[in-house]
Amino acid sequence: MKSHSTSVITALLLASGLSASALAVIDVNRAADNFAQANPGTAFYREAGRITSIYGNTFATGQTPDASAEAFLANGLDVFGVPVTQLVPGSIAADDAHLRQMMPNDDGSMRFTLVAYRQQLDNIPVMGADLLLLTRNDPGYPLVLARNNLRVLGDFVVDAAVAANPAIAAAYTAADALPGMAGAAFTPAQLVIWAGTYDHTSAPVLAVTFEATSGMAWMNSYQKHRIVADAASGAILHDENLVNQIDVIGSIQGQSTTGIKAAECNAEALAALPYVKVTVGANSSFADVNGNFSVTNAGSADVSASAGVRGRYFRVFSPSTDAPPIAQTFTPGVSSSIVFNSANTDQTRRAEVNAYVQANVVRDMVITALPTYPTIANQFEGGAGGLFRVNVAVAGTCNAFYDGTSINFYSSGGGCSNTAFYDVVHHEYGHHVVSAGGSGQGQYGEGTGDCMGVLLSDQPILGIGFQSNCNAGIRTAANTLQYPQSSEIHSAGQLISGCVWSTRNAMVAAAVPNYQTLLKRLCVNAVTLHRGTEITPQITIDWLTFDDNDGNAGNGTPNYATINAGFSAHNMAAPAISLLTFSYPDGKPSSVLPGVASSFRVDVTSVSATAQPGTGQISYKINAGPYNTVPMSEITPNHYMATLPTILCGDTITYYFRAQTTSSTIVADPATAPATTFSTFAATSNATVFNDNFQTNQGWVVTNGAGLTSGTWARAVPSAQTTGRTAPPTADYDASGMCFVTQNGDGDFDIDGGSTTLTSPAMNATGGTATLTYARWYSNDTGGGPNADTFVVEISGNNGSSWSNLETVGPAGPEAHSGWFVKSFVIPGAQATNQFKVRFTASDIGTGSVVEAAVDAVRLTVAACVNPSCPADFDGDGSVDLFDYDAFVTCFETPGCSGADFDGDGTVDFFDYDAFVVAFETPCP
């Protein structure tokens, strides 16, 4: 079997000369509308015109977190414009984890599971792209947040020749020519697809990426960059500086707080060094959080015990060699102490101790807030991540930095203190927290670094004593910065620390118990959801999602008021709480008959407020006319019947709903109405132009890919045998008897070794709004290598000369586990021709899984504004008069109006006008 990370669709397209992305034509706007209607109470957050978050009410469930995520992939992924074939389990977070437990409760259990997918095309990763799906650990694992960090690749095609021989040497040469990078060392180049960053997407291009390092971390000239270069030419596409420094941005006055200032400002007192490694002969052990240790030793004679500023999680260098250890004689069984820098005269030794102690303090906070934190949870001696490096006495003054693999601190001088102290250490480790979580740095990284210090000190001033002024810091979280911020990143970063501090103050004022623990959990867990480098109101959504306790953040959370108050103070207000929800038990009409009123049920449900009976209203407008608002007919309290007025054929009616709470607050659906609305159109006919239950052969064609050994499509009555059969259907969908199934028989005669394609005859999809409906069966979740293949449905408007993706089932998800599913799609105009075709392709590339597919009940309908017996009766009122003429002229002059293509040739032009005039002048029967 192919692995999940290899797309079956790619193999199919290579044979036809097309790229996988050529099939990924997704109508995002239609998908978003459909998703919103199917999931009341959910909301979208958009940045730069694209949906980056879905949040609010639960929008998928399953028996496991994976199953809930797969349900969304099957039914909601289209809102992001990316096909499921481009997703593989994993994350761009440093540990690439697919599943992560999140947000601990007070009893140690975890409240959420984060399910992550990376994006790739033709086995080449899309750099920096992933999808994060957050499920609650409640029955049904409700999915409550989706964070979209994917890139829409459009018609991008991977150049196989360039991929086989990328211009790595030219890329290294170009990087070497960057300022200060002459003679740089390069890591091996990795082939990627570059489509920009989370904050600034760009057209996709095949690229290589690598790191370039010049000098050593303790040198003043040290540089480290991540380079992205064009794989064809070697030209630099993106250059990211990996050295994240604290540049001084003026002095900010504030209160002095004992214990958090620079070393030059405070007296030094003995403090426990947590987790230090202590060695006695061949044996060693780690101290506990209080510095207590016990090392196994044979005998009672005095021994020498040694320890350096190196422990279970961190290793301190000064700056390029290990901080020197201290040895001391111990009498076994008699407690004694090793004291570092006991004379308190050596600045470097003091920096080693301070950096070590505070690095452990901030790490402990992160791991307590999220025990499964990416990479950091496994970053210890003997762990997958190994020890994390801390450098002190680095050449230069007035700075500190993080470079992706270490945190680095300068000695005193130049008007500044030694920077290895309290929240400067917290800040730089905060950059590591951001990087390990998968986020970009920029203003978000700087701000989150500050938040680490604020959360630990529970006061707002950062870096007190940094500039040798023991009564002032360099930044403050007690600020009034407003979203958005475009200033220098250290200054802009104060926006998020300001939100945290304002929220803290609101919680203190509201007497929220254990507010410090809560703030740490919310802030740290939210880092793992952030993508890009900017601070946006999506962070507010993340905090609310983690704070929520019922799977519906839209109805408020336990700490909604204080979180909203804190973030609102910085123009990062929380989304409004859903007071009421609207639902439509019978659905909303996709089209209506002209001249006939259309009625359907509307239910209004109380959420965080109580619905007031008798207040339901519908507001509607016809075409571009004004809105009219009328009461809905109430059946029982808060259960209504809505009625759309009669309209002419070809007219569009736009509408939305309103109701009131018992406190007279008006709630609308859609929530932002009338900016967003529902709509339908009038058509005189909804003709079925093709209908096949497969009882006869209507011209379907079966073609098989190279290497197929079994499983070809066949029109048959499915075998009813159940013994020994795990995947195929035992009956057709519509009970007519026959359907198309992959190699029918009394066993699992599944697809093996290739692909099999079922292609329809040509159909006429012209003359109105064409809708394709079919039932499909697909299973690939059994056997030795399950959930690795896909079932692809494509459409063509040129008799099969080219194809576009309609949907892809699998490689996993609830619709890849057997069962009949009915699907219906409106055919895009480019494919709605008289040479319309659909094809179904099922594959099993490799060995391992049992893959079975079936298709039944294929139907094509066309809704139009034409009365077949009297086409000139354009308004459908039963008579031909000037009202019909006016209605057609209006439709003809309105782009996209159904019925304007009067002659049905697929285009709207004056031939349609002439055809209508002829019909108008011809008496009707």
Side-chain angles (χ1 to χ4, degrees):
M1 281 296 306
K2 289 183 70 176
S3 69
H4 187 110
S5 62
T6 304
S7 172
V8 172
I9 200 169
T10 302
L12 297 175
L13 292 170
L14 289 176
S16 62
L18 299 173
S19 74
S21 60
L23 297 183
V25 180
I26 297 172
D27 187 337
V28 173
N29 291 330
R30 181 183 294 276
D33 290 343
N34 292 341
F35 185 89
Q37 292 190 35
N39 297 276
T42 58
F44 299 133
Y45 185 93
R46 288 177 167 87
E47 288 188 341
R50 67 188 182 116
I51 296 172
T52 54
S53 290
I54 304 174
Y55 64 96
N57 202 0
T58 296
F59 50 93
T61 58
Q63 294 184 347
T64 65
D66 253 331
S68 293
E70 289 167 0
F72 170 75
L73 297 185
N75 298 300
L77 182 62
D78 281 0
V79 302
F80 299 139
V82 174
V84 71
T85 51
Q86 292 180 7
L87 301 186
V88 294
S91 168
I92 62 170
D95 62 356
D96 189 33
H98 172 52
L99 298 175
R100 187 185 321 284
Q101 295 297 302
M102 303 282 290
M103 195 65 181
N105 295 304
D106 291 339
D107 62 2
S109 64
M110 299 297 251
R111 191 179 301 174
F112 297 89
T113 299
L114 184 66
V115 187
Y117 298 88
R118 288 180 287 104
Q119 186 181 5
Q120 65 178 32
L121 180 64
D122 294 351
N123 292 324
I124 301 172
V126 180
M127 187 170 175
D130 66 352
L131 173 66
L132 304 176
L133 302 174
L134 191 68
T135 66
R136 292 185 61 84
N137 291 336
D138 294 331
Y141 294 95
L143 177 58
V144 294
L145 180 73
R147 177 58 41 76
N148 173 29
N149 182 35
L150 303 172
R151 312 287 190 267
V152 177
L153 302 183
D155 59 357
F156 173 73
V157 178
V158 173
D159 188 318
V162 174
N165 189 28
I168 296 174
Y172 284 164
T173 299
D176 193 71
L178 292 173
M181 298 302 291
F186 304 120
T187 59
Q190 178 190 7
L191 194 66
V192 296
I193 295 168
W194 171 252
T197 65
Y198 175 86
D199 304 306
H200 303 286
T201 59
S202 60
V205 62
L206 192 62
V208 293
T209 184
F210 53 89
E211 291 183 1
T213 304
S214 175
M216 298 298 178
W218 56 87
M219 298 169 60
N220 204 30
S221 60
Y222 177 66
Q223 291 195 54
K224 188 174 183 180
H225 292 247
R226 180 180 293 112
I227 305 295
V228 182
D230 191 305
S233 66
I236 303 297
L237 300 172
H238 179 71
D239 176 9
E240 179 184 356
N241 185 1
L242 295 179
V243 177
N244 296 279
Q245 298 182 327
I246 297 182
D247 298 324
V248 176
I249 314 298
S251 294
I252 303 177
Q253 299 295 318
Q255 291 185 334
S256 172
T257 304
T258 300
I260 68 171
K261 300 178 182 179
E264 287 78 356
C265 300
N266 281 344
E268 191 173 29
L270 291 177
L273 296 185
Y275 317 122
V276 165
K277 185 177 184 179
V278 182
T279 301
V280 177
N283 298 325
S284 63
S285 71
F286 294 101
D288 63 16
V289 66
N290 297 312
N292 300 315
F293 66 90
S294 176
V295 182
T296 300
N297 177 67
S300 58
D302 287 356
V303 295
S304 176
S306 65
V309 194
R310 170 181 178 174
R312 185 181 294 275
Y313 308 112
F314 296 95
R315 185 173 182 178
V316 180
F317 292 80
S318 302
S320 60
T321 58
D322 271 304
I326 292 177
Q328 183 170 317
T329 299
F330 278 74
T331 299
V334 179
S335 180
S336 186
S337 298
I338 298 175
V339 180
F340 291 84
N341 196 26
S342 58
N344 192 23
T345 57
D346 187 330
Q347 175 188 174
T348 299
R349 292 304 312 229
R350 185 164 62 241
E352 293 165 1
V353 173
N354 287 347
Y356 178 82
V357 169
Q358 296 306 324
N360 277 283
V361 167
V362 64
R363 182 195 179 277
D364 281 354
M365 181 191 75
V366 171
I367 290 299
T368 300
L370 179 53
T372 61
Y373 203 93
T375 293
I376 292 175
N378 296 308
Q379 209 157 41
F380 54 87
E381 183 168 305
L387 290 173
F388 188 76
R389 179 165 178 151
V390 181
N391 297 320
V392 302
V394 174
T397 58
C398 295
N399 225 322
F401 65 87
Y402 166 74
D403 69 349
T405 54
S406 64
I407 52 178
N408 302 266
F409 306 97
Y410 292 27
S411 299
S412 61
C416 297
S417 300
N418 190 302
T419 61
F421 74 93
Y422 200 74
D423 51 22
V424 178
V425 179
H426 305 161
H427 176 101
E428 295 308 330
Y429 194 75
H431 279 297
H432 182 52
V433 173
V434 167
S435 178
S439 175
Q441 296 285 352
Q443 60 178 240
Y444 179 76
E446 297 300 336
T448 300
D450 283 357
C451 289
M452 298 295 108
V454 171
L455 292 169
L456 284 164
S457 68
D458 197 32
Q459 63 83 47
I461 310 300
L462 282 305
I464 298 176
F466 190 99
Q467 293 177 303
S468 299
N469 181 345
C470 294
N471 294 311
I474 57 174
R475 286 192 293 276
T476 179
N479 63 65
T480 58
L481 267 67
Q482 301 292 297
Y483 168 79
Q485 281 291 310
S486 58
S487 58
E488 187 275 333
I489 58 175
H490 298 82
S491 176
Q494 293 174 106
L495 172 59
I496 187 59
S497 65
C499 290
V500 171
W501 186 248
S502 295
T503 301
R504 177 264 184 201
N505 291 340
M507 288 185 172
V508 169
V512 174
N514 300 318
Y515 74 89
Q516 288 182 275
T517 298
L518 177 61
L519 285 171
K520 291 170 184 176
R521 289 176 181 171
L522 292 172
C523 187
V524 170
N525 281 263
V527 175
T528 65
L529 295 178
H530 190 271
R531 294 295 181 260
T533 62
E534 297 185 3
I535 299 167
T536 75
Q538 280 193 114
I539 299 170
T540 320
I541 294 170
D542 298 341
W543 277 51
L544 291 174
T545 303
F546 280 123
D547 186 54
D548 183 48
N549 62 354
D550 68 356
N552 183 6
N555 65 4
T557 72
N559 297 285
Y560 176 91
T562 54
I563 294 171
N564 183 42
F567 282 77
S568 291
H570 302 269
N571 196 31
M572 299 258 286
I577 294 176
S578 296
L579 304 177
L580 311 173
T581 60
F582 294 73
S583 59
Y584 310 93
D586 302 323
K588 297 185 290 293
S590 58
S591 65
V592 297
L593 289 173
V596 178
S598 178
S599 298
F600 54 96
R601 290 171 55 196
V602 180
D603 292 344
V604 179
T605 305
S606 301
V607 182
S608 59
T610 302
Q612 177 64 53
T615 60
Q617 296 177 321
I618 181 171
S619 296
Y620 64 86
K621 68 177 182 178
I622 300 172
N623 297 327
Y627 275 106
N628 295 291
T629 300
V630 298
M632 293 187 287
S633 175
E634 192 167 33
I635 306 168
T636 58
N638 296 313
H639 297 271
Y640 300 92
M641 186 66 70
T643 301
L644 298 176
T646 60
I647 55 176
L648 298 176
C649 202
D651 283 346
T652 295
I653 187 166
T654 302
Y655 61 97
Y656 62 92
F657 302 94
R658 298 195 305 176
Q660 293 185 25
T661 69
T662 52
S663 60
S664 299
T665 301
I666 296 175
V667 180
D669 190 37
T672 56
T676 55
T677 56
F678 305 115
S679 66
T680 188
F681 63 92
T684 56
S685 65
N686 195 6
T688 299
V689 298
F690 183 86
N691 191 15
D692 199 344
N693 60 8
F694 298 112
Q695 294 307 105
T696 61
N697 185 354
Q698 296 195 36
W700 292 78
V701 176
V702 175
T703 54
N704 297 320
L708 186 75
T709 58
S710 67
T712 186
W713 286 108
R715 189 171 62 89
V717 175
S719 170
Q721 176 71 35
T722 57
T723 304
R725 301 174 79 238
T726 59
T730 56
D732 69 334
Y733 166 73
D734 58 12
S736 62
M738 303 185 80
C739 63
F740 262 98
V741 63
T742 51
Q743 192 162 346
N744 190 44
D746 293 335
D748 278 334
F749 298 103
D750 69 311
I751 305 167
D752 280 315
S755 64
T756 182
T757 300
L758 175 66
T759 304
S760 75
M763 297 175 264
N764 188 351
T766 64
T769 301
T771 301
L772 177 69
T773 304
Y774 53 84
R776 57 162 167 75
W777 175 292
Y778 183 60
S779 176
N780 74 343
D781 65 331
T782 59
N787 298 121
D789 292 284
T790 57
F791 183 30
V792 180
V793 185
E794 300 162 278
I795 57 175
S796 170
N798 54 15
N799 206 34
S801 295
S802 62
W803 295 89
S804 297
N805 180 267
L806 187 64
E807 65 162 339
T808 299
V809 188
E815 296 187 15
H817 301 337
S818 301
W820 284 107
F821 293 89
V822 178
K823 296 294 173 178
S824 186
F825 299 90
V826 174
I827 305 304
Q831 283 80 35
T833 70
N834 59 5
Q835 294 184 318
F836 173 76
K837 286 186 174 182
V838 59
R839 70 180 183 184
F840 304 88
T841 301
S843 308
D844 187 355
I845 309 300
T847 59
S849 70
V850 177
V851 179
E852 295 277 7
V855 174
D856 199 8
V858 178
R859 184 173 71 254
L860 180 68
T861 59
V862 177
C865 281
V866 177
N867 182 342
S869 62
C870 191
D873 180 16
F874 199 79
D875 62 7
D877 65 357
S879 63
V880 176
D881 49 33
L882 290 178
F883 292 108
D884 297 293
Y885 201 99
D886 290 342
F888 175 76
V889 170
T890 299
C891 183
F892 184 81
E893 293 175 347
T894 303
C897 179
S898 174
D901 181 19
F902 197 79
D903 61 6
D905 67 353
T907 60
V908 176
D909 51 30
F910 279 100
F911 292 109
D912 298 293
Y913 202 100
D914 291 342
F916 176 77
V917 171
V918 170
F920 186 78
E921 295 174 346
T922 302
C924 291

